[in-house]
Amino acid sequence: MKDRNPVPPPHPARDVTEHVGYRLKRSAAALRGAMDKALREHGLTVPQYACLELLDEQPGLSNAELARGAFVTRQSMNVVLRGLQEAGLVARPSTTDHGRALPAHLTEEGRDRLDAARNAVYAIERQMIDAIPPRRLTALLADLDRMTEALGG
Amino acid sequence: MKDRNPVPPPHPARDVTEHVGYRLKRSAAALRGAMDKALREHGLTVPQYACLELLDEQPGLSNAELARGAFVTRQSMNVVLRGLQEAGLVARPSTTDHGRALPAHLTEEGRDRLDAARNAVYAIERQMIDAIPPRRLTALLADLDRMTEALGG
DNA sequence: GCTCGTATGTCAAAATACTGACATGAAAGA
DNA sequence: TCTTTCATGTCAGTATTTTGACATACGAGC
C-alpha cells in the first residue's frame, strides 16, 4: 500500500473551492452563462458576438487574428465566420492580392445586430463592475493581466 | 441609412480588450490552456481532473453534484464519469437503497493518479499567485466572488 | 535562385458539450 | 392516500470545439 503524497497547497486553503483557479473558472462560467442567455435573444452565440465586436473595432481582421482575439482555434473561428457570412452579418473577399489572409468586415446588418446585442452585454458588464468596490477595479484588471501573462497567455 | 446606436461603455475603455469580461475570459483561457497542457502528460482532461479533485475532498458525491461543482451539465459529467470508471479511477455502485443519486468515490488508482496530477496543477496555481502582489490575493478572490454572485452564478 | 521557417485557410475526423426528453425516486402538501 | 413538485440518471440528437493534417503564401538567410 503506497502512501499518499500530500502536496502542500499553493496558499492556505481548506478545499479546492478556495483556489484561485477554481474561483476564476467559476466567474468565467457565470459570465459565459449570463452572456449565453442574453445573446440568445439576439440570435447570437458568445463566439459570434466576440467576432462582431472585434471586427467593429478592427475592420479587416483575418480569420486567424479573430481566433486569437476570441481565444479559440483557427478552425473554430472559421466555423463561426462561415455562420456569420451566411447570416449576412459579415463579408469577406474570396481572394486577395497579397498573402493568404482574407480581411473580414461587418455588413450594415452586422453593425445593426451588434448595436442591439451590445446593450445586453454591457448590462452584464455593468453588473460585474457594480459588484466590486470602484477603487479595486483597476487593480483587479491588472491582477488578471499578471496572471494571464504568468501563464503564457 | 440608420444611425448607429453608440452605447456608453460601462467604464472608461478604449476598446473591448479593456472590459472586465474580456480580461476575465482571457485569464480563464490562459488557465485552461496551461492546465490542458500539464494534465495531458498525466492522461487527464480538465473536467476529469476536476471530478477527481472534488471526489477526493467529498467522497460520495453524485453525478449531478459533481456536474455543478465542475460547471458542466449533468449529461457532460455523466460522460466524464463513465470515462473515469472505465479507466478504473472512479467507482460507483449500480444501485442504491435510498434515492436515485449514486455516490461515486475514488479507487486506489484514482487517488494515485490525482496525487501525481496535482503537482502539475499546483505549480500552475503557484504561478498565478506569485504573479500578483500577496496583499491583493484575498481581495482578488473576494472580487471574483462578488462578480460571480452578481451574475447569478 | 533556393531553402527554411513561419503564418494562414481549410478539410476531415474525433472529442466534447449542450439541449430536449423521459422515467424513476423522494419529499411535501392537500 | 393521493397528487404535486422537484431532483436525479440516462438516452438520443445536435452543435460546438478541438486535434491532426495538408497546401499555399510570404519573408529571411544563404
Side-chain angles (χ1 to χ4, degrees), chain A residues 64 68 74-75 82 100:
Chain A
R68 283 191 290 269
R74 294 200 306 279
Q75 294 87 333
R82 283 169 184 271
R100 283 200 91 193

Side-chain angles (χ1 to χ4, degrees), chain A residues 102-117:
Chain A
L102 303 175
H105 62 88
L106 296 183
T107 63
E108 189 70 24
E109 191 181 348
R111 273 185 286 269
D112 292 344
R113 187 78 73 87
L114 175 60
D115 286 339

